[in-house]
Amino acid sequence: MKEAQVSALIGKIYDCAMAPENWPLVLADICDYAESAAGTLAVFDLLTGQEKTLVNHGISDESHRSYQEKYHCADLFLHPLMVREVGEPAISSDLVADDELLQSRIYREWAAPQGFRDTMMTMLTRHQGRLAFLGLTRKLEQRRYDDMDRESIRLIAPHVQRAVLISDMIEHKTVERNHFARIIDTITTPTVLIEGNLRILHANEAGKAIMKRGTPIASSNGKLQLPKQVAAAVSKAARATQNGAAVPDTLRITGADGQGDTIFVVMPLEAPDSRMGGAAGQIALFLQEANSFVPLPTEIWGKLFGLTGGELRVLQGLVEGATPAEIAEVYGIANSTVRTHLLSLFRKTGTRRQADLVRLALNSVPRVRIG
């Protein structure tokens, strides 16, 4: 495609930021640009395992329904995609070994009947428990994707990413205003939203219960009272939101008078809009009692131990209570393949038995700084 044609395509992509209804036509243009028979722009929820397809091209409504209802849980590409860099295109062979793909249930029962053979996927965003991706597919009679195709998608991926982020932000602003408090209230982890000056904006029920208890946090005249080290971290985070350099901080605070330790996660939110009267950066504060942890997210496990997509699939299945045979059945792969992944998991995590591996997964916590 000539430079002028690429520029025109990029212009159409940005038009979708303000007019998302244009995505079907633009995705068709992207498929033409990438010489692909089909394409998908979708968001995958890492917490629920559900995929929300924003737009499809070249996939029938019936095939899309069957994927959503029956085959999305057996998708081989999503777990390995989680551990790749955002914006970096990955072809089928980067994500799954060819023999594993061809024997898989999703390929035999869903992709092959449609004539699909090769895939290229690009993760566009990964934040707030979701990842958005662009997936492109070629049919059996077409040539396989290669490095030249990867380079072509690298030219447009950042623009698709920005358009998705902008449209997502615009779409959800109203929802945030109307439902943000309700969403926070559904979180079981104690959560308090504050400004940098410690003024309380909102607390969920679990957060209110801890403030009422009076330790390790409390409320006084509308402001949050915090341990000294946490207050300092909040102040630092609030200042950092003003220059765009804010990053989450995690501290472990030793409890007083026999109280157990508490993990504080200080997460800076976007800098306030001065037109709305914001005077200090806004912070989400999460509390976790040290003797009650939730498992690490799958993608964090992948990065900590250098796990492959296949290993992540097996680990996820074991944590959810499935046996190796059941995992093989879900994905339509050989029992020997699952055993190979399991042995690799033992080696990489320093465990020897399935029970030890699951125990490690269920009791792992983020690295913390002692306060």
Side-chain angles (χ1 to χ4, degrees), residues 9 13 23-24 26-42 55-59 75 77 81 89-93 95 101 110-111 116-124 133-139 142-146 148-157 160:
L9 177 58
I13 289 170
W23 272 121
V26 174
L27 182 59
D29 289 344
I30 292 174
C31 287
D32 288 342
Y33 165 69
E35 300 177 18
S36 300
T40 298
L41 188 61
V55 61
N56 272 327
H57 173 73
I59 299 174
D75 196 313
F77 293 125
L81 188 66
I91 59 180
S92 293
S93 56
L95 301 170
L101 174 63
W110 188 82
F116 296 151
R117 173 61 179 88
D118 207 19
T119 296
M120 180 160 54
M121 299 184 73
T122 308
M123 181 161 50
L124 303 173
F133 65 89
L134 171 67
L136 299 170
T137 303
R138 284 180 176 166
K139 292 202 169 184
Q142 294 181 280
R143 66 178 179 84
R144 304 288 297 274
Y145 290 113
D146 56 21
M148 190 167 63
D149 297 306
R150 245 195 283 252
E151 192 57 39
S152 295
I153 295 302
R154 283 195 190 102
L155 292 176
I156 66 168
V160 178

Side-chain angles (χ1 to χ4, degrees), residues 68-83:
Q68 295 281 27
E69 296 170 1
K70 188 175 180 182
Y71 295 106
H72 82 273
C73 60
D75 196 313
L76 297 180
F77 293 125
L78 290 174
H79 283 90
L81 188 66
M82 291 178 190
V83 295

Side-chain angles (χ1 to χ4, degrees), residues 82-84 126 294-308 311-312 315 344-345 347-350 360-368:
M82 291 178 190
V83 295
R84 295 188 66 85
R126 182 178 56 210
V294 294
L296 281 177
T298 304
E299 73 274 17
I300 301 294
W301 261 85
K303 290 183 180 296
L304 283 176
F305 293 101
L307 304 184
T308 66
E311 291 159 0
L312 282 172
L315 174 63
S344 184
L345 281 167
R347 177 177 55 80
K348 290 182 178 181
T349 62
L360 177 65
L362 293 176
N363 290 281
S364 292
V365 296
R367 191 183 305 273
V368 299

Side-chain angles (χ1 to χ4, degrees), residues 74-269:
D75 196 313
L76 297 180
F77 293 125
L78 290 174
H79 283 90
L81 188 66
M82 291 178 190
V83 295
R84 295 188 66 85
E85 294 297 322
V86 172
E88 181 60 26
I91 59 180
S92 293
S93 56
D94 295 327
L95 301 170
V96 180
D98 244 21
D99 56 347
E100 186 175 351
L101 174 63
L102 295 178
Q103 69 175 325
S104 69
R105 178 187 177 205
I106 192 170
Y107 179 78
R108 289 183 288 105
E109 298 180 11
W110 188 82
Q114 298 178 77
F116 296 151
R117 173 61 179 88
D118 207 19
T119 296
M120 180 160 54
M121 299 184 73
T122 308
M123 181 161 50
L124 303 173
T125 65
R126 182 178 56 210
H127 65 99
Q128 297 177 345
R130 299 185 305 165
L131 67 85
F133 65 89
L134 171 67
L136 299 170
T137 303
R138 284 180 176 166
K139 292 202 169 184
L140 189 61
E141 62 269 22
Q142 294 181 280
R143 66 178 179 84
R144 304 288 297 274
Y145 290 113
D146 56 21
D147 287 340
M148 190 167 63
D149 297 306
R150 245 195 283 252
E151 192 57 39
S152 295
I153 295 302
R154 283 195 190 102
L155 292 176
I156 66 168
H159 308 290
V160 178
Q161 176 192 39
R162 291 169 197 145
V164 168
L165 283 171
I166 293 169
S167 59
D168 187 60
M169 178 186 68
I170 293 171
E171 178 185 352
H172 288 92
K173 277 300 177 185
T174 302
V175 175
E176 287 172 4
R177 292 190 186 101
N178 294 335
H179 301 290
F180 189 52
R182 189 189 312 165
I183 293 168
I184 292 296
D185 288 339
T186 65
I187 300 174
T188 57
T189 300
T191 305
V192 185
L193 304 181
I194 57 175
E195 290 187 338
N197 58 11
L198 303 184
R199 185 172 72 89
I200 299 170
L201 301 174
H202 185 77
N204 65 3
E205 292 303 316
K208 290 175 182 176
I210 288 187
M211 286 191 290
K212 186 176 180 180
R213 190 176 72 192
T215 180
I217 63 173
S219 172
S220 177
N221 297 321
K223 287 196 172 185
L224 191 64
Q225 294 180 323
L226 293 167
K228 222 182 308 185
Q229 300 96 321
V230 182
V234 167
S235 179
K236 178 182 176 182
R239 291 194 302 271
T241 59
Q242 307 302 317
N243 55 31
V247 293
D249 195 6
T250 307
L251 304 94
R252 181 174 184 138
I253 303 299
T254 302
D257 301 327
Q259 294 286 339
D261 291 1
T262 303
I263 304 296
F264 286 84
V265 177
V266 180
M267 180 175 289
L269 304 178

